[in-house]
Amino acid sequence: MKNYSIPEHELMTAGHLACQGCGATQAMRFALKALGEKTVIVMPACCWSVIDGPFPHTAVQVPVFHTAFETAASCASGVKAGLEMKGDTETTVMAWAGDGGTFDIGFQALSGAAERNEDIIYACYDNEAYMNTGIQRSSATPEGAWTTTTPYPHTKSHPKKNIFEILAAHNIPYLATASVAYPDDMIAKFRRAHKIKGMRFLHVFAPCPTGWKSSPGSTVDLARKAVQSRMFPLVEVWSGRHFRVNKDIPQVPVRDYLRDQGRFGKLTDANIAVIEREIDERWRELLRKEEMGGPPPAEA
Ligand SMILES: Cc1ncc(C[n+]2csc(CCOP(=O)(O)OP(=O)(O)O)c2C)c(N)n1
Ligand code: SF4
Ligand SMILES: [Mg+2]
């Protein structure tokens, strides 16, 4: 008998409408493998509202509630409350939103749901811009990146918003980063989240070849290098305090991650040196928090 570490059962079908090599699509596939069919997805406006297909077609074999851009977290909270009123305490409700819908426009609803400790999973697939409407910069866009609203030579001048630390400051039961290049790790984190009650936040790094001007075949490679260069570290946090940082991943220079993406095509050595310094500072800060916070709960 074969012994796969990734569940074989597919809840995503062929025929979705994503571009070739879309990281967000792989992300959904892995998330559903972890959560299983007793899941309801709440989805605000984003690429995924298109990827899923026009009604009555759908690329996922679970119910999807399409909602307005700013309402993923409040709508998911309402769906969960409605299910509970009907006596269903088993179905998982997952808000599934892009970075624009999470870091920016849906942030108020997200912060409110986190503060109320709603019993939902909120997953943000982060492709680092408003892709569905034509690659506009969001607060998740990294410093130095080209987008249509940060055209050359005025590429994004501010660092990416640290949504992870902001959510950690809400002291929610569980939050984690994940990457489509590490499916075992990603599925383990969604499963861990599945078992915990209360607000859970998953921040999933999802390369977008269309918006990043990268080759569709390099999506997994880029996602891996983002982790290896510590641009996107793999971290978990329990109750806003107990950090666990994955330190076992071999490190590569951030230049290796940046170079295969057209959106970073005009970065100078000086720009890259600034990015490297920021990455080092953030990494040291994570390790400090891990040391200060003490060990995660025993069941982790
Ligand atoms: C209130 C509101 N403003 C703007 C839009 C237009 N809109 C739809 S999807 C989208 C981009 C979403 O970006 P993100 O959340 O990062 O998801 P992605 O498209 O990158 O997957 C925008 C601006 C909208 N639907 N509603
Ligand atoms: S634009 Fe990017 S995120 Fe959207 S479907 Fe295409 S590859 Fe995926
Ligand atoms: Mg986006």
Side-chain angles (χ1 to χ4, degrees):
M1 199 173 112
K2 287 177 187 151
N3 188 13
Y4 295 115
S5 59
I6 297 174
E8 280 183 80
H9 188 52
E10 296 287 355
L11 287 167
M12 249 193 82
T13 56
H16 62 73
L17 301 180
C19 316
Q20 271 192 334
C22 173
T25 305
Q26 292 170 323
M28 176 67 90
R29 186 171 165 228
F30 295 142
L32 285 179
K33 278 175 180 281
L35 299 181
E37 52 207 9
K38 277 204 150 192
T39 304
V40 173
I41 299 173
V42 173
M43 206 180 267
C46 56
C47 269
W48 246 101
S49 8
V50 177
I51 295 169
D52 189 41
F55 183 81
H57 304 287
T58 177
V60 295
Q61 299 302 295
V62 298
V64 177
F65 190 129
H66 289 276
T67 187
F69 202 8
E70 50 284 79
T71 60
S74 45
C75 189
S77 308
V79 171
K80 182 67 188 175
L83 288 170
E84 280 180 355
M85 290 280 288
K86 291 179 67 174
D88 176 349
T89 52
E90 280 182 20
T91 300
T92 302
V93 179
M94 173 172 71
W96 181 265
D99 50 288
T102 301
F103 288 57
D104 300 334
I105 194 156
F107 183 72
Q108 179 177 341
L110 170 60
S111 176
E115 188 272 332
R116 294 189 306 273
N117 196 24
E118 295 285 351
D119 190 20
I120 59 170
I121 293 180
Y122 189 111
C124 169
Y125 69 90
D126 184 2
N127 53 24
E128 303 193 316
Y130 293 81
M131 295 306 179
N132 185 45
T133 40
I135 324 173
Q136 294 85 20
R137 69 86 105 176
S138 74
S139 60
T141 303
E143 193 168 0
W146 166 93
T147 65
T148 53
T149 46
T150 52
Y152 296 123
H154 306 290
T155 52
K156 177 136 183 259
S157 51
H158 301 82
K160 184 182 176 101
K161 184 192 277 184
N162 195 337
I163 195 79
F164 195 77
E165 293 287 351
I166 295 170
L167 264 295
H170 285 70
N171 296 334
I172 57 175
Y174 182 71
L175 74 149
T177 60
S179 162
V180 294
Y182 294 87
D184 283 306
D185 176 83
M186 180 174 164
I187 288 170
K189 285 169 175 166
F190 271 80
R191 281 184 165 156
R192 216 163 276 146
H194 192 223
K195 287 196 201 135
I196 294 172
K197 206 170 157 49
M199 183 77 181
R200 294 140 284 165
F201 182 80
L202 278 300
H203 182 192
V204 184
F205 193 76
C208 165
T210 307
W212 296 11
K213 308 289 171 220
S214 56
S215 132
S218 66
T219 292
V220 172
D221 188 48
L222 284 178
R224 189 181 301 113
K225 284 180 179 149
V227 173
Q228 291 177 330
S229 64
R230 298 178 177 164
M231 193 83 174
F232 190 85
L234 295 180
V235 188
E236 293 170 284
V237 187
W238 288 262
S239 306
R241 211 170 42 249
H242 308 290
F243 279 61
R244 182 158 74 190
V245 184
N246 190 331
K247 299 180 287 296
D248 296 335
I249 292 170
Q251 202 185 348
V252 300
V254 74
R255 202 176 284 274
D256 289 9
Y257 166 68
L258 300 169
R259 74 169 171 230
D260 294 328
Q261 304 175 56
R263 65 177 175 152
F264 293 122
K266 298 202 179 166
L267 284 182
T268 62
D269 285 348
N271 298 144
I272 295 175
V274 170
I275 294 171
E276 276 169 345
R277 257 201 315 278
E278 286 168 1
I279 288 176
D280 285 347
E281 271 168 32
R282 278 205 311 273
W283 181 256
R284 277 198 299 275
E285 182 62 12
L286 277 175
L287 296 187
R288 192 187 66 78
K289 288 191 169 166
E290 185 181 46
E291 201 184 326
M292 300 285 289
E299 66 275 16

